[in-house]
Amino acid sequence: MRTRVFALIAVLVLAIALLWLTRGRQHPAPLPVPSPMPASTAAPPSPTAAPTPSPEPPLERHSTVVLPWESEPTPSPTAPEQEPTMRPGPSPTPEVSECVVVTYSAGVLPGTLGRILVDVWLENHCGRDLGPLEVWFWVGGYRQGDLVQSVRGHPFDPIPRGGEGKAYIVLPGSIDWYDRIDVQVIAPGAA
């Protein structure tokens, strides 16, 4: 194995030596020698003064450049803060006159003359229990379109949420004499 390596090295050294010798024997081609320039017999030109430029009046020059410009939103380095979710507050309690439904019937009060018994049924849609003095109603009797008599009253028992209450009230007059009898829920203290 050693002899093969030495033989290979010897062949390489010999190849390099041959290349070196071959390059050294090649001579480059001689460069052409320039011929001398013929001497001129003409006289050299006489120096002349260069014309001086005449001053021109300065001119104002204007130019207009229009650059398109669009603003780009600047990205925020942090996530935008989200507004806290607000819980809906308690809904305002409606007026009793807005959430109590009234129905009624009118008839003759037995054993009396000139009195009308008005039965009033009240339905509580207010979402809360109502005390007797929170619910007031007005009863009016009309003749020929004019109000003749009116009375106010309230139930004697509380009306539970979503429940019904009942009240009775007497309106002076004859049931045949009135053209119309009307019942309305009113605010406490209303005339």
Side-chain angles (χ1 to χ4, degrees):
M1 176 89 168
R2 276 185 161 192
T3 55
R4 283 187 186 179
V5 172
F6 285 126
L8 184 58
I9 293 174
V11 169
L12 283 175
V13 170
L14 184 61
I16 292 173
L18 280 175
L19 280 176
W20 183 68
L21 286 175
T22 324
R23 284 197 108 214
R25 289 186 184 175
Q26 291 179 355
H27 298 291
L31 294 174
V33 178
S35 61
M37 298 225 5
S40 119
T41 56
S46 64
T48 57
T52 57
S54 62
E56 293 182 19
L59 296 176
E60 286 189 34
R61 293 189 171 102
H62 298 282
S63 63
T64 303
V65 176
V66 177
L67 298 175
W69 180 266
E70 291 183 27
S71 63
E72 296 179 14
T74 305
S76 60
T78 59
E81 293 183 23
Q82 294 181 354
E83 293 183 17
T85 305
M86 299 296 289
R87 292 184 185 161
S91 59
T93 305
E95 293 293 324
V96 173
S97 59
E98 297 172 356
C99 60
V100 171
V101 177
V102 64
T103 55
Y104 62 93
S105 67
V108 177
L109 184 62
T112 64
L113 291 174
R115 295 186 183 237
I116 302 169
L117 179 64
V118 180
D119 294 330
V120 180
W121 292 276
L122 304 159
E123 294 178 36
N124 180 357
H125 296 284
C126 295
R128 61 185 173 95
D129 294 340
L130 297 173
L133 296 178
E134 291 181 276
V135 182
W136 284 82
F137 54 90
W138 172 88
V139 178
Y142 293 86
R143 177 157 178 83
Q144 296 176 350
D146 293 329
L147 178 65
V148 178
Q149 284 286 350
S150 68
V151 290
R152 294 186 318 146
H154 62 82
F156 290 105
D157 297 318
I159 304 173
R161 175 187 349 201
E164 293 181 356
K166 191 167 186 179
Y168 305 99
I169 196 158
V170 175
L171 181 67
S174 170
I175 198 163
D176 296 336
W177 189 67
Y178 290 115
D179 297 333
R180 177 173 61 106
I181 295 174
D182 192 19
V183 178
Q184 298 175 1
V185 177
I186 59 172

